[in-house]
Amino acid sequence: MRGPVKLAGLFLASLAAWYLGYLFADHIRKEKITFSIANLQDIGNKPVLRPPVPKRQKCDHWSPCSPGSYSYRILSGGGKAKLAKICFEDDLLISEQKGNVGRGINIAIVNYRTGKVTATQFFDMWEGDHSGEMVTFIKNAPEGSLLLMVTQDEGSTRLKNDAKKLVEELGSKQIWNMKFRSSWAFMAAKGFKLPDDIQKEKIIHSDKNNRYSGWPAEIQIEGCIPRNLI
């Protein structure tokens, strides 16, 4: 009689163990599902990390100038619609917004010690005789001035040799290479010397096959000028 009773006991014990195991597994499965759903909800509630917006630099430089430097950017006109700009320390000295940009050679004079503009003017080199006026304007710039020059449309047709020679004496290596609708940007110092390793001049000649069908293409120079040169 003991045999059947023992077998029945083992059977009942096995059945109880199986049932307890089933309940435990079912409980664990529900907890996992609940945990997974909670995790998904948390992901939806967490803020999305985005890279920081790059800080805008003076004169739209890619990287900032050091605190002991001036920033500058000189951009020539392009095509019929894009007008020349001269920016210094994030101040647009000559631009369409200022209403002081014109056909020919545009010049801004800046006091190097203060970083403030003292005069701006454009000289039409297609109509009229303004080359002599440009010579006078440059000669009247005080010692210790920065001169920033850029073309808009055409800047060579009525530019006379005495004006070219004066600009050459300021350090230009391209003024004699100016052609019809060449784009030209230049920066010079009067009474002191600029570092050799900064951009001071660029030129590009008009090409009838360019994207503007012969109108000037943009050219620019930009950089940082140390404030301790004088």
Side-chain angles (χ1 to χ4, degrees), residues 68-114:
S69 299
Y70 293 121
S71 61
Y72 68 92
R73 183 170 182 252
I74 306 174
L75 176 67
S76 72
K80 296 180 181 181
K82 296 182 179 180
L83 302 186
K85 296 178 183 179
I86 296 179
C87 177
F88 191 84
E89 275 296 280
D90 218 25
D91 185 13
L92 281 175
L93 310 184
I94 290 178
S95 68
E96 182 178 9
Q97 295 93 316
K98 290 263 185 172
N100 61 350
V101 59
R103 180 177 59 189
I105 297 178
N106 294 258
I107 304 178
I109 299 174
V110 173
N111 182 312
Y112 172 77
R113 294 186 183 277
T114 65

Side-chain angles (χ1 to χ4, degrees), residues 5 33 41 72 88 129 150 182 216 224 227:
V5 173
I33 292 172
Q41 290 174 340
Y72 68 92
F88 191 84
D129 185 8
V150 69
S182 293
C224 308
R227 300 189 185 210

Side-chain angles (χ1 to χ4, degrees), residues 20-35:
L20 289 173
Y22 172 80
L23 290 176
F24 182 73
D26 185 58
H27 178 70
I28 294 296
R29 185 166 59 251
K30 287 181 179 178
E31 282 193 350
K32 285 186 176 180
I33 292 172
T34 304
F35 181 74

